[in-house]
Amino acid sequence: MAGFVARRLVQSVIVLIMVSFIAFSFLHLLPGDAALVILGGEATQEEILNLRQELGLDQPMWVQYGRWFTNALQGNLGRSIFHRESVISVIAKRLPVTIYLGTLALLLSILISIPAGIISAVRRGHISDSIITVAANLGMAIPIFWLGILGIYFFSLKLGWLPVMGYTSPLDNFWLSTKQAIMPVICLAVIPLATLTRQTRSSMLEVIRQDYIRTARSKGLKEKTVITRHALKNAIIPVVTLLGLQARYLVGGSILVEQIFNIPGMGRLMVSSVFDKDFPIVQGCILVVAIAIILANLVIDLSYGYLDPRIRDD
Amino acid sequence: MTKKGKAALIRMVSLSLVFALLFSMVIAGCAPKEPVVEPTVPPSAPTEPAPAEPQKEGGVLKLGIALKPTVLGYAAEMRTYQEFLIGSTALEPLGRHDETGQMQPWLAESWESDADAKTITVKLKKGIKFHDGTDFNAEAVKWNMDEFLNYGRAEAKDLESTDVIDEYTVRLNLVTWNSSLMDALFYFVLMTSPTAFQENDKDWAANNPIGTGPFKFASWDRDVSVKFTKFEGYWQEGQPYLDAVEWHLIADAMTAMASFRAKEVDALVNLEPGIARQIEGMGADIKKLETGLGAMAIGFAGDSINSDSPFSDVRVRKALSFAVDSEEITESILFGYAVATNQWGVPGSWSFNPAVEKYAYNPEKAKQLLAEAGYPDGFTTKLTTLNSPMEVQIMTAVQGYLADVGIDAQMELVDTAHYREITNVASDPWDGLMLYRGRGDADVVTYMPRNFSSKGLLMVNGLITTDKIDKLLVDAAAASDFNTVKQIAFELQKEIYEEQCIITPLFVLTMPVAKYPHLHDEGFNKAQASLWTPESAWIEK
């Protein structure tokens, strides 16, 4: 096990270096000059040159990357061109917001999707299966921005129950924070909820037709025990894999939801930094998201062994 | 019925139910609001006593704006509309434009200019303090002017130095006399505390506006909000009235509109015309800027500098102006939230020359000019524009008008960073037609050279310049009396927009601000779009 983890960690470091280099190269290939974004189109050549020099943008790309990489190895992700503070401190402000909302959304989707998927599979062909299947299909088809705008229209403008926008930390004002989080969390949860429901249903359908399930039933085990202890544990592996893919939203956020509800999360930070040519921020965000995805995948790989002893023995 | 058939029936019924539910939700959303019955007042109601003086003090003013600032506390790096607007919650300049567009003293008590001696002497108001408790005096003004000058700002190119005469008097020494320098410096140099800057650094100062304004900086959450609280030591007796001001940076137009409708914000600043139109009738007042000062002008221009370009021929450039109906664009796409123009500034402003060719919409004339220029069947070109909703809409209309006269303009969309790069003086000339975004100000001396002088900065890489225009721009700057400046401005307008037709101007935006009636004396769009006067704003309880 230790050897497996060590191998994966070494692979991860190589992946991170490659990701950071590719991201850096692509960002520098984009047209547009960060100095002009800051100074405006009416800047003099002298101003542009001075600022480019001050920001180190006058150096060749490989020199800039080398400097960034050396600093990153020492835990220094650089200084944001626009925010005028360290990248780590900018990300430290945005990441908790995204993780908070993302975690709530993921919990909500897990809590609903797995029971819904099980019910749908066990009661295949019944009205409950039809409703769940149709709802899951709708969840995958509904555009998130449309759902967000519809939510604002009904719950904020028509009913006046929820605020239109904003984010407040639950530590500052729990009640306001909860009200502000409801619509974004629902919007964030819709797609994973639908995907996980469908995956749980199809995995369960596959498993409950197996001989060992029939055997378990014929042994006289209660249906609940058959489903939860024998069927679900085997059917859950593809669902866990899918959950791992959601990790990127936990730290990367969703630009659409953050834009609609005016939430200061990682998604908006990344997109606005790309448009602003704020390279250090984009690099920092990509690094954080890549690390999160690598860690999530590692945890998922390890969890396979727990869920299926055959994998552990291999 | 078989088991299979039963299941299919159940599935069909449930599908229908879900769709019906969804459909009803959408329909309910689109349904008109129920009419509200206002309580009637009996005709014999006794006359109410005269209302008492309203309670002006208190309240938090919440403002929504889509544009995000980059710098708020270091004048040398502040350039954009939103930076000036939000920054002026805490920072103040030496002078402000009055409602006629004339510069009047603000932090300055008075000033005196001497064109022969090339000096401007400024006397400052006494007893004004910065938010950090330090004095606003001649040393502070000198420090601010020096920072602006040393940064290399184009507006300060004719400023040589600033001398402190006494504690409350400074003298600006000019390299050459410039009739607009006073206007430019007094508007652009928002006074910040030298002590705060020196105790920290430039980056800190850029993020922390420490000025003399009515509100003290409290916090800036990037992309979210900028908050200010009342400055108790403000120099205007009894002001400000509000306890705090919050700027909410709302990038999404639909969200901004919803937050205004839900009264989460009291006013929305710099609305897109389409949004302003939707807000009409929500019980809000919409304030438009009539002067063009600080507003954005939109148009387009060909790469006239390239000798092999069709746009190097003045007849083709004139054909562009005859081909496009700017009045129609202003009315149908901008819903009247812009003023159509055929030259620099808006009709009625002091530098607007009514004698300049109006280029009334005339596609036949445009075709005739194209034929004379050797393009009887038109030609194909590129039309580069910013990838933002309004600009794309406008340029799509322009594309249609050009197609009608035989010019096939292929639209290319670019982001702000790319647009700034390809229109900057340091870049190679662009190819084809380019969106023009400039100022709507009457002051031709400060702003016109940016586009039309051979030493200009913006779009000059693609536009022709002439010796005559260069000379007129120099003469306008050197003129010592207003009438001479005005006369030269008229000549400039004629030369640039009629004789050379370098740019096809379309309109100047009116920068609409929507506010609820409970917000009084809010101070937006009084004369200058980017000048906000928050000290007098108050909220009716």
Side-chain angles (χ1 to χ4, degrees), chain A residues 1-2 55 59 84 113 153 157-158 171 180 256 264 297:
Chain A
M1 177 66 82
L55 300 173
Q59 301 292 316
R84 293 170 186 256
S113 64
Y153 185 79
L157 301 182
K158 281 278 174 193
L171 302 174
Q180 285 174 333
L256 282 176
N297 284 333

Side-chain angles (χ1 to χ4, degrees), chain A residues 63-80:
Chain A
V63 174
Q64 291 182 49
Y65 179 75
R67 190 184 298 153
W68 177 85
F69 186 74
T70 316
N71 289 334
L73 283 180
Q74 296 163 45
N76 176 7
L77 294 180
R79 201 169 170 77
S80 160

